[in-house]
Amino acid sequence: MKHKPKLGQNFLIDESAARRIADALGDVHNETVVEIGPGHGAITALLAPRTGRLICIELDRSLAAELRFRFRGAPNVEIVEADVLTVNLSALRQNAAKLHVIGNLPYYITSDILLHLCRHANAIDTAVVMMQREVADRVAAAPGVRDYGVLSVSVQRHADVNTLFTLPPSAFSPPPEVFSTVLHLRMRDRSAGLGEIDDAAFTRMLRAAFAQKRKTLGNNLRAASFSIDQIGAACVAAGITPNLRAEALTLEQFAALYHALPSPGGIS
Ligand code: SAM
């Protein structure tokens, strides 16, 4: 199979794996499904006959043309030639029902795509997404483990994350150098229980808190220009101590810290 490595093109050739991924979406007969990076259509072909409306977003012009031809007889399938990061996913909703998202993601922009899904979390019910195993481990990591970091907290703020299964390189053509893991994300209301949070400011605070993983939270926040008094007061309000490491904090504690710090959006 011809492929463009720059576009993260490792095509799924393991049919039973493609079926497991499609099945993980559940019953979508009456739903709108958005497929990110359909490629040659390994997952698309399984979903087309069992999806209310299937919108496939593919950046590669020749693949988009190939898919348009292949699914020309399927009125429920739309092929959109675009960079998924520029697509307003919320605008794809045609009624009150939320979107379902699926994709064997291009690995070079996995984190960006996950954050894009988070920005549109209110329009999405579920996402079944495959990515490099190491990235999936970071997304799914719980507090206190080595992989827990900015990506874990950012995604878990918008989604309940479950790890489904892992595939070896031989499931793809050409085989990538890494194993791949499929995650199930159940999106939830972004403000539920955590208060109003500005995405960009929250991300800046997380980056500051995790800046040097071996340093304490207090020292990392000092390096981001907060004073000792500001940090002390915010930690008391959040019910934590500044000598913890960021990796020990739960999502709820990060949200409390965010609300207690003076203008966290001021971190550059
Ligand atoms: N779904 C197919 C499969 O499982 O065989 C292909 C998966 S391949 C890992 C990733 C796909 O995403 C490729 O078809 C690639 O062209 C496409 N892609 C890369 N960057 C993209 C972007 N920014 N927006 C949409 N699609 C993209």
Side-chain angles (χ1 to χ4, degrees):
M1 261 181 210
K2 274 194 189 163
H3 75 290
K4 298 179 185 148
K6 271 194 184 156
L7 290 185
Q9 292 182 350
N10 299 98
F11 301 106
L12 194 55
I13 50 169
D14 178 334
E15 282 177 28
S16 77
R19 196 159 295 113
R20 286 172 79 192
I21 295 170
D23 288 350
L25 265 192
D27 182 359
V28 286
H29 276 97
N30 294 313
E31 311 291 345
T32 298
V33 173
V34 176
E35 184 180 3
I36 300 172
H40 289 291
I43 301 169
T44 325
L46 297 170
L47 284 176
R50 52 158 125 150
T51 301
R53 180 177 172 225
L54 178 57
I55 305 167
C56 305
I57 305 171
E58 173 57 61
L59 179 61
D60 185 322
R61 170 160 296 188
S62 55
L63 287 176
E66 175 189 317
L67 290 166
R68 221 170 265 132
F69 181 74
R70 178 166 174 194
F71 293 100
R72 63 193 180 287
N76 62 327
V77 179
E78 294 163 46
I79 310 297
V80 178
E81 184 192 320
D83 174 352
V84 64
L85 298 177
T86 66
V87 175
N88 179 352
L89 299 174
S90 305
L92 299 177
R93 257 171 106 178
Q94 278 185 331
N95 50 37
K98 293 191 176 186
L99 305 171
H100 297 251
V101 174
I102 197 162
N104 170 12
L105 301 182
Y107 294 174
Y108 72 107
I109 45 166
T110 296
S111 301
D112 292 336
I113 293 176
L114 289 170
L115 297 178
H116 192 54
L117 296 181
C118 288
R119 276 192 290 280
H120 294 277
N122 289 347
I124 300 172
D125 179 277
T126 299
V128 173
V129 277
M130 177 150 58
M131 64 202 72
Q132 183 177 335
R133 178 170 62 185
E134 288 72 14
V135 179
D137 288 347
R138 281 163 50 208
V139 174
V145 306
R146 190 177 46 96
D147 283 327
Y148 186 68
V150 176
L151 193 60
S152 332
V153 184
S154 302
V155 176
Q156 291 171 29
R157 183 156 79 82
H158 299 281
D160 294 322
V161 180
N162 273 300
T163 302
L164 296 185
F165 54 90
T166 294
L167 294 174
S170 58
F172 306 87
S173 172
E177 284 169 9
V178 293
F179 279 64
S180 303
T181 295
V182 181
L183 293 182
H184 183 281
L185 311 181
R186 164 89 54 208
M187 311 308 278
R188 52 186 150 91
D189 183 350
R190 57 173 59 191
S191 59
L194 302 176
E196 273 306 308
I197 286 177
D198 176 77
D199 273 336
F202 191 68
T203 303
R204 280 197 293 274
M205 183 198 72
L206 291 178
R207 291 214 173 103
F210 281 103
Q212 298 222 27
K213 281 208 148 187
R214 293 160 65 99
K215 283 194 176 175
T216 63
L217 177 67
N219 281 339
N220 275 332
L221 291 177
R222 282 280 287 151
S225 307
F226 288 106
S227 72
I228 291 179
D229 287 348
Q230 287 171 331
I231 296 166
C235 284
V236 168
I240 54 179
T241 76
N243 50 20
L244 287 173
R245 292 213 172 91
E247 68 185 38
L249 268 64
T250 63
L251 169 62
E252 289 71 20
Q253 288 170 327
F254 273 118
L257 185 66
Y258 169 88
H259 292 298
L261 280 170
S263 67
I267 302 173
S268 57

